[in-house]
Amino acid sequence: MSEAYFRVESGALGPEENFLSLDDILMSHEKLPVRTETAMPRLGAFLLERSGGAETDHAIPQGSKLELPLWLAKGLFDNKRRIISVELPKIYQQGWRTVFSADANVVDLHKLGPHFYGFGSQLLHFDSPENADISESLLQTFIGRFRRIMDSSQNAYNEDTSALVARLDEMERGLFQTGQKGLNDFQCWEKGQASQITASSLVQNYKKRKLTDMEG
Amino acid sequence: MVIINRYKHANQLLVGFENFPYAEIHIFVLFFLYILTRNEVKSGGRSDLIPTIKFRHCSLLRNRRCAVAYLYDRLLRIRALRWEYGSVLPNALRFHMSAEEVEWFNHYKKSLATYMRSLGGDEGLDITQDMKPPKSLYIEVRCLKDYGEFEVDDGTSVLLKKNSQHFLPRWKCEQLVRQGVLEHVLS
């Protein structure tokens, strides 16, 4: 309750990521399939099996398929597709979209890419013709899953919640934690512990860490 | 680029600041390559190198972003330390902070103190106290570790030994409870 550390929130669900948000940095590190539209000289050193060898200046040839992280894809992409053109990852294509519309609750979103919603929202920058469908699918998936997240986070008091969060992606886990925090704060108030001064969480973590350092 | 990821996971302030130079070297090398390639394009007329330049530029921006976000997160945690722990940091924590961070902490402390003095009339108001609404003036506390002598307002001093319990004024021990020396016991 008396927390003083406020981390920079993720902006991935909005128009742009937050520059300083660590969550966004982790999210934009995920890869997406990409096709090069022009040869890229001297970068063959990174992907040795694709490079053209010394004659072509160690280039990555035109038309090769790569998997680039989102930040790189965003940086190299432009409207005229001069350097790269982006393909949608499978989970945002039609096949998986029908799976989500069938029953969104069953899907393991953590396995499919721990930042499903954030990554999907940022994908919309790449001007694919399916953008409207993708955004609709993201929204409907979330609506389908939300009820269960809210219920489980508000009713799991003092239990092991790993089974409940196993299939949630990062954004949903954040929501779940918020719900849990609200529940814990309320229970603490009900028990009359709301006025109890507690040691700062930093001190507690530091003590625990020191203990493990000494043992390990 | 893989090195940068490590910093994102090492979110705790307890990670030493000494690891940072690796990232700086990385940025420097990339920048060097960038300048070389750019000159080649301008003077040598090799415009096919432009994708390469863009690639390196993106990498530089990315490294910068990771570095800045890491430093900013550290600052946020240092700021939280002032509120949660108090104005004097233990040496162990200060060891892990860079000189600039210590200086920042001192500036922040000063700004906060100036602000607090300007509130509430003549003597100012300590807003870092009573973070949870108090229910009584005196509280029951138990000692978690040996602290030594502790002086109360009317001159008497109390010996704080491990596991001893005392009934002390709230405003004197709030700081110690937050630092983990005492434990607030509810009856």
Side-chain angles (χ1 to χ4, degrees):
Chain A
M1 279 207 283
S2 49
E3 282 165 15
Y5 167 64
F6 304 108
R7 41 186 258 278
V8 181
E9 290 169 355
S10 162
L13 295 175
E16 271 309 328
E17 307 172 30
N18 276 334
F19 182 79
L20 293 171
S21 158
L22 294 170
D23 294 321
D24 279 347
I25 292 180
L26 286 174
M27 183 275 292
S28 58
H29 204 73
E30 288 188 14
K31 302 211 169 155
L32 86 133
V34 140
R35 211 185 82 99
T36 56
E37 294 296 333
T38 164
M40 299 173 70
R42 299 203 189 142
L43 296 177
F46 289 122
L47 300 134
L48 287 172
E49 66 277 4
R50 313 278 190 120
S51 78
E55 323 83 56
T56 53
D57 210 3
H58 293 287
I60 301 177
Q62 175 180 6
S64 52
K65 294 205 187 256
L66 305 169
E67 292 225 330
L68 296 183
L70 182 67
W71 56 269
L72 194 51
K74 264 197 192 175
L76 295 176
F77 182 79
D78 65 359
N79 285 330
K80 299 184 210 145
R81 287 175 181 72
R82 282 177 295 187
I83 307 183
I84 59 170
S85 67
V86 169
E87 289 167 12
L88 294 176
K90 272 196 311 243
I91 51 175
Y92 299 99
Q93 283 178 18
Q94 186 57 40
W96 273 97
R97 293 207 292 264
T98 40
V99 172
F100 290 133
S101 60
D103 184 357
N105 266 314
V106 191
V107 190
D108 187 340
L109 278 191
H110 188 75
K111 196 181 57 162
L112 287 183
H115 297 97
F116 179 73
Y117 297 105
F119 194 75
S121 304
Q122 293 303 307
L123 264 188
L124 300 175
H125 276 290
F126 294 118
D127 291 336
S128 147
E130 300 177 50
N131 268 358
D133 293 324
I134 298 173
S135 38
E136 189 61 34
S137 157
L138 284 178
L139 186 60
Q140 293 303 322
T141 313
F142 181 67
I143 290 176
R145 291 166 69 97
F146 175 66
R147 183 64 193 281
R148 193 173 281 197
I149 302 171
M150 189 177 87
D151 273 340
S152 57
S153 75
Q154 289 294 302
N155 289 302
Y157 183 59
N158 251 346
E159 321 176 337
D160 176 23
T161 54
S162 50
L164 295 166
V165 292
R167 303 166 128 222
L168 303 182
D169 91 326
E170 291 300 316
M171 184 203 89
E172 293 172 335
R173 283 187 184 181
L175 269 182
F176 187 87
Q177 267 167 26
T178 317
Q180 284 275 287
K181 186 172 180 309
L183 179 64
N184 287 333
D185 285 348
F186 175 69
Q187 291 297 330
C188 174
W189 175 81
E190 263 207 325
K191 290 194 237 174
Q193 286 174 351
S195 57
Q196 182 181 28
I197 315 175
T198 49
S200 74
S201 49
L202 293 161
V203 170
Q204 286 169 343
N205 286 340
Y206 186 62
K207 274 206 196 125
K208 279 188 209 158
R209 203 185 156 107
K210 251 180 92 176
L211 222 52
T212 50
D213 276 344
M214 289 195 298
E215 291 167 14
Chain B
M1 274 159 262
V2 175
I3 306 175
I4 302 298
N5 286 348
R6 215 178 48 197
Y7 296 123
K8 293 175 293 194
H9 294 292
N11 273 346
Q12 304 253 344
L13 198 64
L14 301 177
V15 171
F17 200 68
E18 316 82 54
N19 290 331
F20 209 64
Y22 291 135
E24 293 180 3
I25 295 173
H26 212 257
I27 295 178
F28 183 72
V29 167
L30 270 178
F31 191 63
F32 194 61
L33 285 172
Y34 174 79
I35 297 290
L36 282 183
T37 334
R38 195 199 60 182
N39 289 341
E40 225 174 309
V41 170
K42 282 196 159 171
S43 50
R46 284 198 62 187
S47 57
D48 64 325
L49 284 176
I50 288 184
T52 312
I53 294 186
K54 265 204 138 181
F55 183 93
R56 294 199 178 117
H57 187 69
C58 286
S59 309
L60 275 173
L61 288 179
R62 176 70 173 179
N63 283 355
R64 185 184 71 166
R65 181 184 181 188
C66 293
V68 171
Y70 172 66
L71 290 174
Y72 187 70
D73 194 68
R74 280 176 74 101
L75 274 188
L76 288 179
R77 286 171 193 266
I78 294 174
R79 183 178 72 175
L81 276 178
R82 170 62 185 93
W83 289 91
E84 284 201 30
Y85 198 83
S87 54
V88 180
L89 295 180
N91 281 328
L93 269 180
R94 234 181 309 172
F95 175 68
H96 285 293
M97 288 168 38
S98 75
E100 288 89 0
E101 287 174 338
V102 172
E103 199 186 315
W104 186 88
F105 183 77
N106 290 334
H107 279 294
Y108 184 75
K109 243 186 357 184
K110 226 177 284 181
S111 300
L112 186 61
T114 317
Y115 176 66
M116 292 200 288
R117 242 193 320 258
S118 72
L119 305 169
D122 265 337
E123 22 176 276
L125 176 67
D126 187 358
I127 48 182
T128 61
Q129 278 216 340
D130 287 335
M131 299 282 266
K132 296 186 183 175
K135 292 282 197 281
S136 57
L137 280 180
Y138 279 70
I139 54 174
E140 185 82 23
V141 289
R142 180 186 303 129
C143 220
L144 292 177
K145 44 183 163 184
D146 285 327
Y147 187 71
E149 296 277 312
F150 185 58
E151 198 173 306
V152 189
D153 275 338
D154 54 357
T156 58
S157 62
V158 182
L159 177 63
L160 294 177
K161 250 173 75 108
K162 188 164 180 180
N163 284 330
S164 64
Q165 258 181 265
H166 307 277
F167 193 59
L168 296 172
R170 189 192 177 93
W171 61 92
K172 285 241 111 194
C173 11
E174 184 164 1
Q175 177 90 316
L176 288 177
V177 176
R178 273 206 243 132
Q179 289 175 1
V181 175
L182 299 175
E183 181 190 352
H184 185 183
V185 177
L186 291 172
S187 44

